[in-house]
Amino acid sequence: MHRAVGPTLMAMTCDEQSQASSDAPDCDVVNERSAPSPSSQAFRVSMIEALARTPRITSPKWFYDERGSKLFEEICDLDEYYVTRTELAIFDACLEEVASLVGPGCVVFEPGSGEGIKTSRLLAALESPRAYVAIDVAARQLEQTAARLRRAHKGLRVASLHADFMTVRALPDFEGPPPKRLAFFPGSTLGNFEAEAALRVLRRLGELAGPRGQLLLGVDLVKDTGVLERAYDDALGVTAAFNLNLLVRMQRELDARVDVDAWSHRAIFDREESRIEMQLESKRRQTIQIGDHRFDFEAGEVIVTEYSHKYTLEGIADLTRAAGFETRRVFVDAREWFAVLLLARA
């Protein structure tokens, strides 16, 4: 599981930003008037549509309410979840070279900014970054991360968008000549998307990065099935709680009638599709009801809550090339479990 992009967009005001960080050196008001206001309505529509179709597949963006975001950060610290620490180790080894290749004065933007741990390391390594734009669907965490980055990087302009980045038409303007832009998309979030959707995501990142833009991309690589499945089904049950929290959120926000205890967490690796599937499996015959909509399940039926695709180096090179990028550098760990790619618009 990885930080997901989501369905809504809301501008933070200067007052909201200054409450999050009283010592913030810069405060940017971001307006995206064309996007809808955040509400549970989009969640309701999405869940009803997902449960009505076959197979039943929900979007992982709905994991990230406040509790889901906290559980995800706990997952990142688990022994079984190698993704975060492996990528951080690669960053420690490669960021000096990345900074040299990117050059000074860039604007960094990041969909799914999360807690900003990797972001802070990147910003510290870059030469005089001009600004940072955080984009995330978890509003409270977005505010906290923006405040934390302002404190850690004095003088850096930090703008925050509560957004599905696929709906963002343009990034904020900053004074001076048109900037170089660096898209930052770590954590193998790209793996949440099937091939055609992943291609659209990469193309959108390229559009936002602009003609001189670059992309620093993290992707999880194919490896032993046992390693993969344990990473998504840990012994402490944190990932299970994260998955089941989707049903808890449905109860709270949609007034859904669902027996959370009648569902169990599953994570399986489909080698043919090269992806982990996270599922909620029904323990018995039962019904989920959302308003007037009823969805019947037999014992053993599942709701797929997330795909997490794993790549080969050849496969990710082909995908990024099709999206209009050329590869500048590829960095991998010693076990070749994870890769960080620096890409440029072709």
Side-chain angles (χ1 to χ4, degrees), residues 107-120:
V107 170
V108 180
F109 67 97
E110 180 183 7
S113 53
E115 281 195 320
I117 295 170
K118 299 168 191 173
T119 312
S120 192

Side-chain angles (χ1 to χ4, degrees), residues 37-68:
S37 299
S39 71
S40 291
Q41 182 59 27
F43 181 33
R44 176 183 296 274
V45 170
S46 180
M47 292 306 299
I48 289 172
E49 290 178 349
L51 296 180
R53 62 177 170 248
T54 303
R56 288 158 161 158
I57 305 173
T58 63
S59 170
K61 64 191 174 189
W62 302 120
F63 283 137
Y64 297 97
D65 62 353
E66 185 174 354
R67 182 167 182 260

Side-chain angles (χ1 to χ4, degrees), residues 65-79:
D65 62 353
E66 185 174 354
R67 182 167 182 260
S69 296
K70 290 178 179 177
L71 285 167
F72 176 74
E73 300 307 335
E74 290 182 31
I75 288 168
C76 291
D77 291 331
L78 292 170
D79 290 342

Side-chain angles (χ1 to χ4, degrees), residues 169-186:
R169 296 182 177 181
L171 296 178
D173 289 326
F174 299 97
E175 293 85 355
K180 296 180 296 184
R181 288 176 175 164
L182 174 66
F184 186 42
F185 207 43

Side-chain angles (χ1 to χ4, degrees), residues 85-329:
R85 63 178 174 272
T86 304
E87 187 174 32
L88 285 171
I90 296 172
F91 283 160
D92 287 343
C94 79
L95 280 183
E96 183 176 347
E97 183 176 353
V98 167
S100 176
L101 291 166
V102 170
C106 70
V107 170
V108 180
F109 67 97
E110 180 183 7
S113 53
E115 281 195 320
I117 295 170
K118 299 168 191 173
T119 312
S120 192
R121 295 193 188 189
L122 173 62
L123 292 171
L126 292 172
E127 182 182 350
S128 304
R130 189 161 159 190
Y132 170 72
V133 182
I135 309 169
D136 207 302
V137 297
R140 183 180 298 276
Q141 186 172 66
L142 178 67
E143 296 168 10
Q144 293 170 346
T145 297
R148 190 181 303 116
L149 291 173
R150 291 189 190 98
R151 290 192 296 269
H153 304 276
K154 298 292 185 181
L156 178 71
R157 299 199 67 176
V158 177
S160 50
L161 287 170
H162 180 204
D164 173 354
F165 89 97
M166 294 293 284
T167 70
V168 177
R169 296 182 177 181
L171 296 178
D173 289 326
F174 299 97
E175 293 85 355
K180 296 180 296 184
R181 288 176 175 164
L182 174 66
F184 186 42
F185 207 43
S188 205
T189 302
L190 187 68
N192 288 148
F193 301 92
E194 297 192 67
E196 287 300 318
L199 187 61
R200 290 195 296 271
V201 167
L202 289 169
R203 286 174 174 161
R204 187 70 187 127
L205 288 169
E207 290 166 359
L208 289 173
R212 297 188 299 154
Q214 298 182 76
L215 167 62
L216 190 61
L217 175 69
V219 292
D220 200 10
L221 301 178
V222 175
K223 58 186 66 64
D224 176 74
T225 297
V227 171
L228 286 168
E229 291 185 348
R230 286 191 294 273
Y232 292 81
D233 193 7
D234 61 277
L236 294 177
V238 181
T239 311
F242 174 79
N243 200 9
L244 289 161
N245 184 61
L246 177 65
L247 302 178
V248 177
R249 183 179 183 184
M250 289 169 59
Q251 288 179 325
R252 184 182 66 252
E253 294 188 24
L254 308 184
D255 197 26
R257 294 183 181 179
V258 52
D259 182 358
V260 178
D261 293 334
W263 294 85
S264 59
H265 164 72
R266 290 183 64 198
I268 57 172
F269 182 58
D270 183 335
R271 187 159 291 276
E272 183 176 342
E273 298 291 342
S274 194
R275 69 191 181 200
I276 283 282
E277 291 189 12
M278 284 219 317
Q279 303 173 349
L280 292 169
E281 182 178 16
S282 178
K283 296 179 182 179
R284 57 171 172 79
R285 179 180 292 181
Q286 60 179 304
T287 298
I288 292 177
Q289 184 167 350
I290 304 173
D292 295 331
H293 301 272
R294 295 171 57 88
F295 308 98
D296 296 324
F297 293 83
E298 297 294 329
E301 283 195 83
V302 301
I303 303 170
V304 177
T305 53
E306 183 184 65
Y307 291 141
S308 182
H309 291 82
K310 310 304 171 186
Y311 298 97
T312 63
L313 291 176
E314 295 80 7
I316 193 63
D318 289 343
L319 182 62
T320 55
R321 188 182 306 112
F325 287 97
E326 59 184 22
T327 301
R328 301 194 69 186
R329 291 289 189 279

